[in-house]
Amino acid sequence: MTPKNHPRYESLLLREKIKDAYKEGYLSDSGMIAHGRGETFDYLLGEKTTESSRIAIDVSVAKLLLAENPVISINGNTTALVIDEIIQLAKLIPAKIEINLFYRNEKRIDTIENILNKKGYDNVLGTNKDELLYIKDIKNPRATASKNGIYSSDLILIPLEDGDRTEILVDSGKEVIAIDLNPLSRTSKKANITIVDNIIRVIPLMIEITKKFRSYNKEKLKDIIKDFSNKDNLKESLKCIDLNRI
Amino acid sequence: MTPKNHPRYESLLLREKIKDAYKEGYLSDSGMIAHGRGETFDYLLGEKTTESSRIAIDVSVAKLLLAENPVISINGNTTALVIDEIIQLAKLIPAKIEINLFYRNEKRIDTIENILNKKGYDNVLGTNKDELLYIKDIKNPRATASKNGIYSSDLILIPLEDGDRTEILVDSGKEVIAIDLNPLSRTSKKANITIVDNIIRVIPLMIEITKKFRSYNKEKLKDIIKDFSNKDNLKESLKCIDLNRI
């Protein structure tokens, strides 16, 4: 459908994946609007991995390799765009995968679970069969988490998460790595590490770096983390939005 | 559903209107993603009418009052967000209204036509019964226009239009006023006048200004237009994106 010479070809291909996911019933209408918001930030950032994103990715991988019980949170958008890569990354770290939807409903959860199962990944958490608890006893649908997953994890990777949820996770004492194209969002500001970049570039790069870092000892991994300031890194990301370049 | 104290309350209300329009079948999935792109730009612009937008609106109203056969083009997003105001503006100028969809299909056209009819507006153009011609003989679905509307008009107001369509209109010698939140888009650059602002603020303001300007004589209206440079105005809009304010 989309001609290869269209100035926005790559971006239009992603848009098709998002629309397909909506038609398949596992991505919400809000997920489509959210994709549009992300598109604009990606466009303003030059649709490439910046130096500050690269630094945040290195720190994130080191953190994931050092964590006791790391969990990767997925939603409709993540599933639509990078599910194969998420599975690969989860196996390499190793980390658990938990479905975590802002608009949770049984059908959507089942559809995502089936997608993972068909890809040979059977241990996904946060399904309809899974035991869900409220984080810090906050009786809010934004605060549910799988008992053996996010609820008991020390580090969570949240690609494309909303601000309320991120706040609950961070305030409950968990470490949070966010992937968010908006360097100004509540999620970006609240997370311990924020990768300001597009998940379609980030997850493949995390896989590559995990392959390199997993032979490092703990001291070396801690060394990679030690000087990182999320606040400073966000400022650097913000500087990459160059309106006069476009 | 949306709590009034939510930091993004106004923006979430608009999002609900867009989702409803999708459910009612007259807004495309692409229209939802496009809304998300607009949201980001609006947020970066401070969600207010800037001085440069205000100038472009004045010039646009003067142009509309001077035009021989002005047409306001509407699509799913415009209908969802400001259809009452569009009808009011069209009657005041007076200008015609033409339905013009990027993803044209009969059902969507009929639904929008019915919405206008129910509001007592019966003369809408670009319907399934209307005679459509190709602008400049370009045999492209982007180039269709109603014989008595856009095809024969001298000035077209296009809120939320795509780049291809804008190029065809401008290259065919028509004057084009665009309303576009992205000051860097092809539409913004190609249009004769670009209002970089949100249609939910622009159309009510255009109504107000039309009421004031319609008593002016031609000389006075021409005076309002004469020093306007779209290129300079776009530069001023771009300066209003202040990332350090947010």
Side-chain angles (χ1 to χ4, degrees):
Chain A
M1 285 281 290
T2 302
K4 272 206 163 181
N5 61 353
H6 192 285
R8 315 273 324 129
Y9 178 70
E10 294 291 337
S11 177
L12 294 180
L13 281 189
L14 298 184
R15 210 177 285 172
E16 290 307 318
K17 285 189 185 182
I18 291 293
K19 289 190 218 170
D20 289 346
Y22 181 79
K23 279 172 201 138
E24 288 168 41
Y26 67 89
L27 187 138
S28 67
D29 42 16
S30 295
M32 265 202 279
I33 298 176
H35 183 77
R37 287 198 295 280
E39 261 188 21
T40 296
F41 278 109
D42 202 14
Y43 161 86
L44 294 174
L45 284 159
E47 290 166 323
K48 64 176 195 311
T49 293
T50 62
E51 183 55 27
S52 49
S53 160
R54 182 57 209 248
I55 291 167
I57 290 173
D58 277 355
V59 173
S60 298
V61 170
K63 282 262 188 195
L64 283 163
L65 288 168
L66 285 165
E68 291 290 323
N69 185 15
V71 176
I72 303 173
S73 170
I74 60 167
N75 64 9
N77 297 61
T78 331
T79 305
L81 298 176
V82 282
I83 195 61
D84 291 320
E85 294 82 357
I86 292 273
I87 293 172
Q88 210 186 327
L89 179 65
K91 286 180 179 169
L92 272 173
I93 296 285
K96 293 169 182 168
I97 298 176
E98 179 165 337
I99 307 171
N100 170 29
L101 307 184
F102 190 82
Y103 293 99
R104 187 178 177 95
N105 76 41
E106 291 207 356
K107 189 180 158 281
R108 212 170 274 154
I109 297 275
D110 279 341
T111 311
I112 296 178
E113 185 184 5
N114 284 335
I115 290 171
L116 285 151
N117 291 348
K118 273 187 196 155
K119 293 182 181 293
Y121 189 92
D122 294 323
N123 303 319
V124 60
L125 298 168
T127 64
N128 294 317
K129 298 178 290 286
D130 200 359
E131 187 182 355
L132 298 183
L133 300 173
Y134 287 107
I135 297 168
K136 283 185 82 184
D137 270 336
I138 303 169
K139 298 279 186 286
N140 178 321
R142 305 280 157 262
T144 58
S146 161
K147 189 182 172 188
N148 297 314
I150 290 175
Y151 188 81
S152 53
S153 71
D154 52 339
L155 178 66
I156 308 139
L157 173 63
I158 46 170
L160 321 177
E161 186 56 89
D162 95 291
D164 287 350
R165 177 88 178 173
T166 307
E167 279 190 6
I168 291 167
L169 292 173
V170 173
D171 293 348
S172 76
K174 298 182 185 302
E175 279 216 290
V176 168
I177 301 166
I179 306 174
D180 194 325
L181 279 158
N182 176 2
L184 301 155
S185 74
R186 273 196 297 155
T187 292
S188 288
K189 287 174 183 166
K190 196 79 190 183
N192 303 91
I193 306 166
T194 307
I195 302 166
V196 179
D197 202 347
N198 192 323
I199 52 168
I200 63 142
R201 291 185 298 270
V202 173
I203 309 294
L205 203 49
M206 288 183 94
I207 291 169
E208 235 181 76
I209 295 167
T210 305
K211 285 178 183 167
K212 185 175 149 198
F213 283 9
R214 65 181 173 164
S215 63
Y216 291 6
N217 62 30
K218 281 194 176 185
E219 289 319 303
K220 199 162 174 184
L221 291 173
K222 283 179 183 167
D223 232 41
I224 291 164
I225 294 165
K226 75 173 194 302
D227 292 329
F228 182 78
S229 153
N230 202 44
K231 211 174 163 184
D232 292 346
N233 192 269
L234 282 173
K235 274 187 200 157
E236 288 305 312
S237 290
L238 209 52
K239 284 186 199 160
C240 297
I241 297 183
D242 178 4
L243 297 167
N244 297 313
R245 182 199 54 230
I246 300 163
Chain B
M1 285 281 291
T2 301
K4 274 207 161 179
N5 60 354
H6 191 286
R8 314 274 321 127
Y9 179 71
E10 293 292 336
S11 176
L12 295 180
L13 282 189
L14 298 184
R15 210 178 285 171
E16 290 307 318
K17 287 189 183 179
I18 290 293
K19 289 190 216 170
D20 288 346
Y22 182 78
K23 279 172 201 138
E24 288 168 41
Y26 67 89
L27 187 138
S28 67
D29 43 16
S30 295
M32 267 203 278
I33 299 176
H35 182 78
R37 287 197 296 280
E39 261 189 20
T40 295
F41 278 109
D42 202 14
Y43 161 88
L44 294 174
L45 285 159
E47 289 165 326
K48 65 177 195 310
T49 293
T50 62
E51 183 54 28
S52 50
S53 160
R54 181 59 210 245
I55 291 166
I57 290 173
D58 277 355
V59 173
S60 298
V61 171
K63 282 261 187 195
L64 283 162
L65 288 168
L66 285 166
E68 291 290 323
N69 186 15
V71 177
I72 303 173
S73 170
I74 59 167
N75 64 9
N77 298 60
T78 331
T79 305
L81 298 176
V82 282
I83 195 60
D84 291 320
E85 294 82 355
I86 292 271
I87 293 172
Q88 210 186 327
L89 179 65
K91 286 179 180 170
L92 273 172
I93 294 288
K96 293 170 183 167
I97 298 176
E98 178 165 339
I99 307 170
N100 170 30
L101 307 183
F102 190 82
Y103 293 100
R104 188 180 176 94
N105 75 42
E106 291 206 356
K107 187 179 160 283
R108 211 168 275 153
I109 297 274
D110 279 340
T111 311
I112 294 178
E113 186 183 3
N114 284 335
I115 289 171
L116 285 151
N117 292 348
K118 273 187 196 157
K119 292 180 183 294
Y121 189 93
D122 294 324
N123 303 320
V124 59
L125 299 168
T127 64
N128 294 317
K129 300 179 289 286
D130 200 1
E131 187 181 354
L132 299 182
L133 300 172
Y134 288 107
I135 298 168
K136 283 184 84 183
D137 270 337
I138 301 169
K139 297 279 185 287
N140 179 321
R142 304 281 155 262
T144 58
S146 159
K147 191 182 170 188
N148 297 315
I150 291 175
Y151 188 82
S152 54
S153 73
D154 52 339
L155 177 67
I156 308 139
L157 172 64
I158 46 170
L160 320 177
E161 186 57 90
D162 96 292
D164 286 350
R165 177 88 177 175
T166 308
E167 280 190 6
I168 290 167
L169 291 173
V170 174
D171 292 349
S172 76
K174 296 181 186 304
E175 279 215 290
V176 168
I177 301 166
I179 306 175
D180 192 325
L181 279 158
N182 176 3
L184 301 154
S185 74
R186 273 195 297 154
T187 292
S188 288
K189 289 175 183 166
K190 195 79 189 183
N192 303 91
I193 304 166
T194 307
I195 302 165
V196 178
D197 202 345
N198 192 323
I199 52 169
I200 63 141
R201 291 185 298 271
V202 173
I203 309 295
L205 203 49
M206 288 183 93
I207 291 170
E208 238 181 76
I209 295 167
T210 304
K211 286 177 184 168
K212 184 174 150 200
F213 284 10
R214 64 181 172 164
S215 63
Y216 292 5
N217 64 27
K218 280 196 178 184
E219 290 318 303
K220 200 162 174 185
L221 291 173
K222 282 180 184 166
D223 233 40
I224 291 163
I225 294 165
K226 74 174 195 301
D227 292 328
F228 182 79
S229 153
N230 202 44
K231 210 175 163 183
D232 292 346
N233 193 268
L234 282 173
K235 274 187 201 158
E236 288 305 312
S237 290
L238 209 51
K239 283 186 199 160
C240 298
I241 297 184
D242 177 3
L243 297 167
N244 298 313
R245 181 198 56 229
I246 301 164

